[in-house]
Amino acid sequence: MQGMAYEVIGYFKERPVIMLVISFVAGFAGNKTVAYDTGRNVLFHLIVGLAGFFLSQFVLRFFGLLQLIEAISEFRLLFDFVAAYLGSFLLAAIIHFLKPL
């Protein structure tokens, strides 16, 4: 488990600017999908996006789906965005459930 976490962090460090943009957009989209009228700030979207990105990459590695995604490396950033969005959506739904508007 700890090795997978280091792999995710290493993957993030390869392209930090691109991963931050993907994380922010995924966090923003995930939050807006869960609750449209939230008055959340940019930092909240970025934190949820980064946590969703980390969670999704960890799940991909845990279930061995990373080899399938790497087979079509042309779409890797698209798969990263979709996975980060799903992770952000899940985290935003949990946050909204625990603390509604």
Side-chain angles (χ1 to χ4, degrees):
M1 293 270 190
Q2 188 176 10
M4 283 189 277
Y6 285 129
E7 286 179 25
V8 172
I9 292 171
Y11 179 66
F12 186 84
K13 287 182 180 180
E14 288 176 11
R15 299 181 211 117
V17 175
I18 293 172
M19 295 305 147
L20 282 173
V21 170
I22 287 174
S23 298
F24 174 73
V25 172
F28 179 79
N31 284 323
K32 290 299 180 182
T33 304
V34 170
Y36 180 73
D37 291 335
T38 60
R40 309 287 185 177
N41 59 8
V42 173
L43 184 63
F44 181 79
H45 296 307
L46 184 62
I47 290 171
V48 170
L50 286 172
F53 177 82
F54 185 80
L55 176 70
S56 64
Q57 292 296 318
F58 187 81
V59 167
L60 287 174
R61 282 167 172 72
F62 184 77
F63 288 113
L65 298 173
L66 194 61
Q67 290 78 18
L68 296 172
I69 292 173
E70 287 179 352
I72 20 180
S73 61
E74 297 85 18
F75 297 107
R76 179 64 197 257
L77 291 178
L78 177 66
F79 289 131
D80 286 341
F81 173 73
V82 170
Y85 169 74
L86 292 175
S88 299
F89 175 77
L90 179 67
L91 289 174
I94 291 171
I95 290 170
H96 184 68
F97 178 71
L98 294 177
K99 186 181 180 196
L101 298 172

